[in-house]
Amino acid sequence: MNFSSPLFQYNPAAGSAGLQKRIAIFGSTGSIGTQALNVIANNPERFTAEILTAQTNDELLVQQALQFNPNCIVIGDEKKYQKVKDALANTAIKVFCGEDALEEVAAMDCYDMMLAAIVGYAGLKPTLKAIENGKSIALANKETLVVAGDIVMQKALEKRVPVIPVDSEHSAIFQCLVGEGRNKIEKIILTASGGPFLGRKPNFLVNVKRDHALQHPNWSMGAKISIDSSTLMNKGLEMIEAKWLFNLNADQIQVLVHPQSIIHSMVQFEDGSIKAQMGLPDMKLPIQYAMAFPQRIVNDLPRYDFRKPNTLTFEEPDLKTFRNLALATEALYKGGNMPCIMNAANEIAVYAFLRNRIGFLDMTELVERTMNKISFIEKPTLQDYFESDAEARSYAASIIQM
Ligand code: NAD
Ligand code: MG
């Protein structure tokens, strides 16, 4: 970590039309998107919402547009375009539709910061477009860095664009690094709640169904990340996300299960000193921190109280049972296009599981077989990443079809 990192390239005045920061929320109808709008609604003097995008939920998107009066919105599903357009006919809000529109609006001048809150690979291209256009990024969409972290961070460095993490663990690490200047990190300790199946073994997991896997003990999140949390793939994706955000080697990243989710992650420096960021689990905190950085803003979220009876515990993750974390660690060490391949197979696996097409443990098998099958590329170009993603998806889908 040093000041040439895209994390700290911050100029609060850059690109801003006035005192308010103009936010573009890509994925505004999701768990992160709706919480971000809540932060904006509570801080109208600081933020405006200028772009909102959603894939399918047209009704919520229209409702959000009427409440926040953005410059423009995008509905991904083209079949819903006319309905959205009609609903907003009496407003000046511009309405776009389809996948390409996401990149087009990401290039617009009407905003300062993109909150990248689309889920999955679909977030990559709009985020790259925003960086190319010099926009600050508040990054929730971890898959963007898993797929093409080297290219994304390099582009951010070239454009002097800050990439501020929203993921709670990475926000914690970021907060621990503020003020540390050039002090080197010895390692980071990424905490994991362990998900709903902590302590369970394969003979239990084999029978797990979607509704049970969607029940996370500490966080309420979108479906994909909830399943990833139940398989520990989420922590694997976060290891790779951390590598790129904080410019770390694979062996500087350690995962520790901490079921209470009070310590959101820690940094150990070269003198052995460890800094932690703590608080009750609520994504509004990392969201508002990223949006308001370098300032902290007042809120009335519940506070953690050390005086109440509570125990903070820590244990090693069970890599034999939760093999997704072992596979992700392998992808982290291997580098190249392996994390991209793993991510694509995982997306296919998670959506197949959510549709009850495959079992809980089949998700891991699908990811492993795809990682073994697709050609490895050590130094991929952006085009290589696009192709590896497509190949891995089609191979994983073909296994499910068998
Ligand atoms: P979600 O499923 O609740 O919302 C996803 C949003 O993306 C929706 O607005 C949806 O319309 C949009 N979207 C989905 N597919 C799309 C596509 N193909 N093209 C364009 N838009 C599409 O997801 P979420 O839980 O809010 O997570 C969003 C991202 O933030 C994920 O990458 C996740 O890993 C990350 N994240 C979420 C949390 C959390 O608490 N929810 C915490 C940390 C990180
Ligand atoms: Mg997280």
Side-chain angles (χ1 to χ4, degrees), residues 23 55 112 129 202 246 294 361 382:
I23 311 286
Q55 185 61 8
D112 306 311
K129 188 59 83 177
F246 305 112
L361 295 178
L382 189 56

Side-chain angles (χ1 to χ4, degrees), residues 27-33 53-56 102 117-120 122 140-143 167 220-223 225 283:
S28 66
T29 53
S31 162
I32 294 289
T53 85
Q55 185 61 8
T56 51
L102 289 173
I118 287 176
V119 60
N141 176 249
K142 62 192 86 187
E143 294 91 346
D167 212 346
S220 161
M221 310 179 285
I225 183 174
M283 284 308 294

